[in-house]
Amino acid sequence: MRSDAIKKGLERAPHRALLHACGIEDEDFDKPFIAIINSYNEIVPGHIHLKKLAEDVKRGVRAGGGIPFEADTIAICDGIAMGHDGMHYSLPSREVIADSIELWVKAHQFDGMVLIPTCDKVVPGHLMAAARINLPAIAVTGGPMKPGRFKGKNVDLITVFEAVGGVKAGSVSERELTSLEHVACPGVGSCAGMFTANTMACVTEALGMSLPACATAHAVDEKKRKIALETGKQIVSLIKQNISALGIMTEAAFKNAIMVDMALGGSTNTVLHLPAIAYEAGIDLDLDIFDELSRKTPHLCDMRPGGPHMLEDLDRAGGIPALMKQLESKLHRDVMTVSGRTLGENLRDARIVNEEVIRPLDNPNHPEGGVAVLRGNLAPDGSVVKQTAVDETMLIHKGPAHIFDGEEQAVEAILGGEIKEGDVIIIRYEGPKGGPGMREMLGPTSAIAGMGLSDSVALITDGRFSGGTRGLCIGHVSPEAFEGGLITLLKEGDMISIDIPKRALNVELSEEEIETRRKDWKPPRRELKGYLARYVKLASSADRGGILE
């Protein structure tokens, strides 16, 4: 065992002395040492309950014959960080999470690891570390929040964001907004729709890195605690079988995860996170793979924010095992999973309970999957749109550009009534380097929806979008403005052409005009310090997952 490096032999007497101080007994030195990496904290709703979940994992580890050691890592709530300077730190936190796990696990020579994350950047940060370290590893994601209820309907965090625009538009009163904010998030867990946190949990299960049914088991459901207990037992079994993270996170497994993501119509943030995880696994997962698999994978689950179904509906319909059963003919069934069985073996007993929530292949919500990758002179290295959340009348759109150098300017203009039907909002200098940190644009997109413009206005940015975004919202424009991408040369009134079926994103400018504008452009100067100053020096483009190089 790897942990023998800190507990076996004459020279390790000092190490054993320190371990005795932690309560380790002599008989424990023959057992595997398991790292329990917990993202528990008291400000992220998806993480408040994780300390209790970790206790269930540790009980499972002990029952399986291992010794658990728990430590925390950081987590940022994107909802709380949204719309101000705090969002600059969200995506960069992913790398800090991965690095901190690597430092703790490698320094203490653990034999295996159980990951307990829940939210947007936290889940990929944990998986990046698992791929980098390559020990036996299992994730037990914390589970979704139950939806709130308001005026007889299911509501969630995105309902509140959009209601702010509704107040400005006069369709929602301030009293209604206050009532809504008190019921929209009724308790612990990740926000109730198929936003980034829940998309990443589903992708983790589809990748084979969490036990079957883990992703949709809700935070307050007793089923989640049972899965945590079984996870603790199973990590000891994986160590005995010598099944490591890279034995599971193969190229075929990543393709399975992408197909599940496309069938769910999940968050566009997976196009950042899966390549970053794959990079740590030594696998090149470029944008073209997402678009290729999206064309081949129908959209089977019409989930919030684009559709009516919540995570609890998906769970009752059979969860990710049922969805993968529906997709079985398209998937790589021989890949290994953390259950110790192949995906095909896991799916033998899977059942689809509700074919309205998980549609059959021959009756999908849309013939293609959730994500489309657009290219053209405005995004030669690619851009990303959640096409299943776009109104059919907006799949092809042309309109004049309204330019904003940052999110705050755009939100002020939208809520101030300056944006009209047919307009194309351009928000630039929000990429990985330009933001810095590639902020999510939930403020502008929610304002557009709340003002009743989501079916008539487009938004294009080198930043990114929340998984709660709906409408014609194109992000990840690469190259970004800060690095001289064409988006930085746009002017008010330039005609923007969008064609999702043809995967095209262009500005109607001649090459001569573009070159003339380029001669006058200079990169902006700014003063940064601390972590963001270091991050900017290393961050890659969005089309490469925003990894640090």
Side-chain angles (χ1 to χ4, degrees), residues 207-318:
L207 190 59
M209 285 299 293
S210 60
L211 292 178
C214 181
T216 59
H218 279 54
V220 295
D221 195 330
E222 183 63 23
K223 179 167 65 173
K224 178 64 73 177
R225 296 192 63 185
K226 291 178 180 177
I227 290 172
L229 179 68
E230 289 304 313
T231 296
K233 296 176 182 177
Q234 183 60 20
I235 188 61
V236 181
S237 178
L238 289 187
I239 292 169
K240 292 175 180 177
Q241 296 176 71
N242 196 29
I243 299 175
S244 67
L246 295 188
I248 294 168
M249 288 194 278
T250 62
E251 183 174 352
F254 277 103
K255 289 180 178 179
N256 285 346
I258 293 171
M259 284 187 275
V260 167
D261 182 22
M262 297 304 144
L264 288 168
S267 168
T268 53
N269 280 316
T270 57
V271 183
L272 279 175
H273 298 323
L274 281 173
I277 299 163
Y279 172 79
E280 297 290 353
I283 297 168
D284 184 16
L285 208 62
D286 63 31
L287 286 180
D288 291 335
I289 294 175
F290 286 84
D291 199 62
E292 173 191 339
L293 293 176
S294 183
R295 290 180 185 272
K296 296 177 180 178
T297 309
H299 176 217
L300 303 183
C301 301
D302 201 12
M303 308 291 296
R304 280 278 294 162
H309 299 305
M310 297 288 193
L311 262 290
E312 65 176 1
D313 299 313
L314 180 59
D315 189 51
R316 290 168 183 161

Side-chain angles (χ1 to χ4, degrees), residues 59-87:
R59 284 196 300 118
V61 169
R62 294 187 187 101
I67 303 298
F69 296 84
E70 183 183 354
D72 294 340
T73 187
I74 66 165
I76 288 174
C77 177
D78 277 19
I80 295 174
M82 195 74 67
H84 53 82
D85 285 348
M87 184 47 72

Side-chain angles (χ1 to χ4, degrees), residues 257-446:
I258 293 171
M259 284 187 275
V260 167
D261 182 22
M262 297 304 144
L264 288 168
S267 168
T268 53
N269 280 316
T270 57
V271 183
L272 279 175
H273 298 323
L274 281 173
I277 299 163
Y279 172 79
E280 297 290 353
I283 297 168
D284 184 16
L285 208 62
D286 63 31
L287 286 180
D288 291 335
I289 294 175
F290 286 84
D291 199 62
E292 173 191 339
L293 293 176
S294 183
R295 290 180 185 272
K296 296 177 180 178
T297 309
H299 176 217
L300 303 183
C301 301
D302 201 12
M303 308 291 296
R304 280 278 294 162
H309 299 305
M310 297 288 193
L311 262 290
E312 65 176 1
D313 299 313
L314 180 59
D315 189 51
R316 290 168 183 161
I320 298 306
L323 176 57
M324 297 186 84
K325 185 74 171 181
Q326 206 76 290
L327 290 169
E328 192 169 13
S329 63
K330 296 179 177 291
L331 300 175
H332 301 274
R333 300 172 66 255
D334 58 346
V335 295
M336 181 55 63
T337 72
V338 293
S339 69
R341 302 183 298 273
T342 66
L343 174 63
E345 291 170 330
N346 284 347
L347 295 182
R348 283 176 187 167
D349 297 326
R351 296 288 181 270
I352 299 100
V353 178
N354 186 338
E355 287 200 337
E356 181 59 33
V357 177
I358 305 175
R359 295 279 191 92
L361 291 176
D362 60 0
N363 185 29
N365 295 290
H366 299 93
E368 294 186 356
V371 167
V373 176
L374 312 185
R375 298 183 189 271
N377 66 358
L378 193 50
D381 292 340
S383 62
V384 177
V385 62
K386 186 193 288 190
Q387 62 176 338
T388 51
V390 178
D391 188 271
E392 288 187 4
T393 63
M394 293 290 286
L395 293 174
I396 300 174
H397 181 75
K398 183 183 291 186
H402 291 271
I403 313 297
F404 302 97
D405 290 343
E407 174 187 5
E408 289 81 0
Q409 293 179 11
V411 172
E412 184 177 348
I414 296 165
L415 295 178
E418 298 177 25
I419 303 301
K420 309 300 180 185
E421 290 186 5
D423 287 348
V424 178
I425 301 167
I426 305 292
I427 304 179
R428 61 193 181 190
Y429 294 105
E430 290 286 7
K433 290 182 180 291
M438 203 177 182
R439 290 194 292 177
E440 287 186 346
M441 301 288 111
L442 183 56
T445 60
S446 296

Side-chain angles (χ1 to χ4, degrees), residues 36-37 68 324 344 411 417 437 535:
I36 311 297
I37 302 153
M324 297 186 84
V411 172
Y535 177 84

Side-chain angles (χ1 to χ4, degrees), residues 484-529:
L486 183 54
I487 191 173
T488 195
L489 304 180
L490 298 181
K491 294 182 179 180
E492 282 287 315
D494 284 345
M495 194 59 61
I496 308 298
S497 175
I498 302 164
D499 191 327
I500 293 177
K502 292 184 177 178
R503 304 299 200 256
L505 178 62
N506 292 285
V507 56
E508 296 182 357
L509 291 175
S510 67
E511 286 300 321
E512 292 78 11
E513 175 63 18
I514 292 171
E515 287 307 311
T516 298
R517 294 185 186 184
R518 193 171 296 284
K519 290 176 183 177
D520 297 330
W521 179 76
K522 294 179 181 179
R525 298 186 65 180
R526 64 203 166 163
E527 295 295 326
L528 292 171
K529 61 181 181 179

